[in-house]
Amino acid sequence: MPERTAASRLRLCGLCFLLQILNILLFAVFARYSPESSPGHCPPQRDCSQRNQDSGLQRPRFRDVHTQVLLSFGLLLAFLGRYGPGSAAVSILIVAFAIQWALLVQGFFTFFLNGKIYMGAQSMVSADFCTAAVLISTGAVLGRVNPIQMLLLALLEVTVCTLNEYILLSLMGVSDSGRSLTVHTFGAYFGLMVSRVLYQPHKDERKREERQDMGHQTDVFAVLGTIYLWIFWPSFTSSTTAHENAENWAVLNTYFSLVASTVATFVLSPVLYEESTPRMVQIQDATLAGVAVMGMAGEMLVTPFGALIAGFLAGLISPLGFRFFSPFLRSRLKIQDTCGVHNIHGLPGILGALLGTLLTLLATADTFGDRLELVFPLMAQGSRAVTGQAFIQLSALPLTLLLAALGGFVTGAILKTKMLRSPPDAQYLENTVLWEVKLGNC
């Protein structure tokens, strides 16, 4: 065992070194700061009319989004008694690498001009979104992959996630500012497919107890993670809106969805489980479901009661998913979903996409006013009909599921190769490879 541990440490150190050197070289060759983010001269070939808007609005948004990605996701994983300490540390490693890689990959698709990638606050926000999708996927495979596999998963998923985002948002003109599809749905089903490929029958019984509460400390982590979700996720949902008016819509609708989904947990959980009140982890899951459903519809809903209805439905989906869907995925489809990302990201993300399609059919100049041009610019310009935009919104869902499934399958097949797998005994204690943790005290 000591030899295996030393070898694992050396392999991880070597991979981190190689990936960081690769990022540094690519940044040196291609990356430059965007003129919109600096007070200097603006090249004539670039449109710098939005320079003040970028510097004034995007920095606070980036701060909130980055805090959300770094803190909330780490705390969401920390409630797992067996994997919590190691998973929180690995999540920081994933964030540190994935943001760099996402800036480069997204830059080649979106911010590339005259052989250079021009980076600003908006490109950093987009990179954080892609990193969030990776962190969602890791929740589906937590406990079955080592840190080396986690890094390779991030490397591959960022590439496929960026491709999916480019096709949907740039080529098809899909409106998905809060990323119900490109973050929540894609991240969930990418991770589920990787989990399916990595299925290990002899460890299935061991994984049945992963979500059980392990004591007071995990409740504290769940409380902190939920508080961070409430504070920062409305900014996360609205961070890519084009104007302050649309941003206000997205923020308010997200809050309405949060309150309704939380109440829904108290309605359904006591019926499904024996506890008189839901555990803090269940409230945390409902909170995630409530924000996932608002990703696409957040800037489209024109009435508060619509957000309340959507959040309430998402809050019902989460406990029902854990009660009925999770056993089905495990027993019939052989998918071990450690953190339940299917219930708190996948299903609410699909519901959000369907809701966004319905709201697109109802989008008119009378209901949206001047905001129609901000949410659906092609419709406002007259180059796309309402039914055409609704069809595009709907077709984006199966396309996202297809790319997530294909990308997850290829990634899982690569991670399953013999040279990347940990030995059986070391795999079970993989989080102690780098961080010495007394499992009984978690």
Side-chain angles (χ1 to χ4, degrees), residues 72 83 129 147 149 185 235 255 323 360 427:
S72 296
Y83 307 115
F129 271 113
Q149 292 171 309
T185 304
S235 297
Y255 270 117
R323 185 67 176 85
T360 303
Q427 179 83 8

Side-chain angles (χ1 to χ4, degrees), residues 64-96 128 131-139 142 150 217-229 232-233 236 281 284 288 339 344-345 431:
D64 292 347
V65 170
H66 193 62
T67 303
Q68 169 69 29
V69 170
L70 189 62
L71 286 179
S72 296
F73 278 100
L75 290 171
L76 294 179
L77 298 178
F79 78 89
L80 292 166
R82 181 178 298 160
Y83 307 115
S87 63
V90 172
S91 70
I92 296 177
L93 173 63
I94 296 303
V95 169
D128 271 321
T131 302
V134 175
L135 292 174
I136 290 172
S137 298
T138 60
L142 190 63
M150 286 277 199
Q217 183 178 354
T218 57
D219 276 337
V220 173
F221 281 129
V223 171
L224 292 175
T226 305
I227 291 174
Y228 274 109
L229 288 173
F232 292 107
W233 205 293
F236 186 89
V281 171
Q284 184 186 77
L288 281 167
C339 294
I344 57 183
H345 293 284
N431 285 307

Side-chain angles (χ1 to χ4, degrees), residues 29-357:
V29 175
F30 295 106
R32 298 294 182 270
Y33 284 120
S34 172
E36 289 89 334
S37 302
S38 65
H41 174 69
C42 182
Q45 67 269 26
R46 292 185 59 84
D47 178 15
C48 298
S49 60
Q50 301 298 321
R51 177 189 302 172
N52 293 333
Q53 184 180 15
D54 179 80
S55 60
L57 293 178
Q58 293 300 335
R59 278 199 299 267
R61 294 180 182 181
F62 161 66
R63 176 196 60 209
D64 292 347
V65 170
H66 193 62
T67 303
Q68 169 69 29
V69 170
L70 189 62
L71 286 179
S72 296
F73 278 100
L75 290 171
L76 294 179
L77 298 178
F79 78 89
L80 292 166
R82 181 178 298 160
Y83 307 115
S87 63
V90 172
S91 70
I92 296 177
L93 173 63
I94 296 303
V95 169
F97 167 71
I99 285 180
Q100 298 178 71
W101 186 241
L103 281 168
L104 290 168
V105 178
Q106 291 179 335
F108 285 113
F109 280 96
T110 309
F111 305 103
F112 194 71
L113 180 66
N114 295 333
K116 301 297 180 184
I117 299 172
Y118 289 92
M119 298 182 177
Q122 181 57 48
S123 57
M124 187 66 78
V125 169
S126 299
D128 271 321
F129 271 113
C130 193
T131 302
V134 175
L135 292 174
I136 290 172
S137 298
T138 60
V141 297
L142 190 63
R144 291 186 302 281
V145 293
N146 54 50
I148 294 175
Q149 292 171 309
M150 286 277 199
L151 277 175
L152 294 178
L153 183 147
L155 177 73
L156 297 170
E157 182 173 0
V158 164
T159 305
V160 184
C161 179
T162 301
L163 175 63
N164 178 65
E165 184 180 85
Y166 178 74
I167 294 174
L168 265 59
L169 305 183
S170 298
L171 299 184
M172 297 175 60
V174 174
S175 177
D176 187 24
S177 65
R179 304 301 198 263
S180 280
L181 284 175
T182 56
V183 171
H184 295 284
T185 304
F186 181 88
Y189 289 99
F190 187 98
L192 290 173
M193 180 56 72
V194 174
S195 180
R196 175 63 184 89
V197 177
L198 297 179
Y199 175 71
Q200 297 170 311
H202 62 282
K203 294 185 179 180
D204 187 45
E205 293 299 323
R206 220 177 253 170
K207 306 306 174 189
R208 293 178 185 272
E209 307 300 325
E210 284 172 346
R211 290 189 56 87
Q212 286 188 355
D213 183 63
M214 300 292 289
H216 174 71
Q217 183 178 354
T218 57
D219 276 337
V220 173
F221 281 129
V223 171
L224 292 175
T226 305
I227 291 174
Y228 274 109
L229 288 173
W230 275 75
I231 294 174
F232 292 107
W233 205 293
S235 297
F236 186 89
T237 304
S238 63
S239 61
T240 60
T241 51
H243 194 271
E244 288 188 43
N245 291 335
E247 179 185 3
N248 292 336
W249 255 359
V251 169
L252 293 175
N253 285 327
T254 302
Y255 270 117
F256 284 126
S257 180
L258 281 172
V259 297
S261 64
T262 301
V263 173
T265 305
F266 283 85
V267 171
L268 195 57
S269 291
V271 178
L272 298 177
Y273 304 98
E274 296 180 358
E275 297 96 340
S276 58
T277 58
R279 299 198 310 270
M280 196 63 215
V281 171
Q282 294 170 335
I283 299 175
Q284 184 186 77
D285 294 339
T287 302
L288 281 167
V291 297
V293 76
M294 279 295 105
M296 180 181 290
E299 63 176 0
M300 300 180 188
L301 280 166
V302 296
T303 56
F305 78 88
L308 290 173
I309 294 174
F312 188 76
L313 291 176
L316 296 177
I317 284 177
S318 180
L320 286 172
F322 282 112
R323 185 67 176 85
F324 299 106
F325 282 108
S326 292
F328 176 80
L329 290 177
R330 185 173 54 243
S331 61
R332 298 304 180 94
L333 300 182
K334 309 303 181 184
I335 297 177
Q336 300 164 327
D337 186 5
T338 306
C339 294
V341 298
H342 180 253
N343 308 314
I344 57 183
H345 293 284
L347 291 177
I350 291 177
L351 178 61
L354 297 177
L355 177 61
T357 301

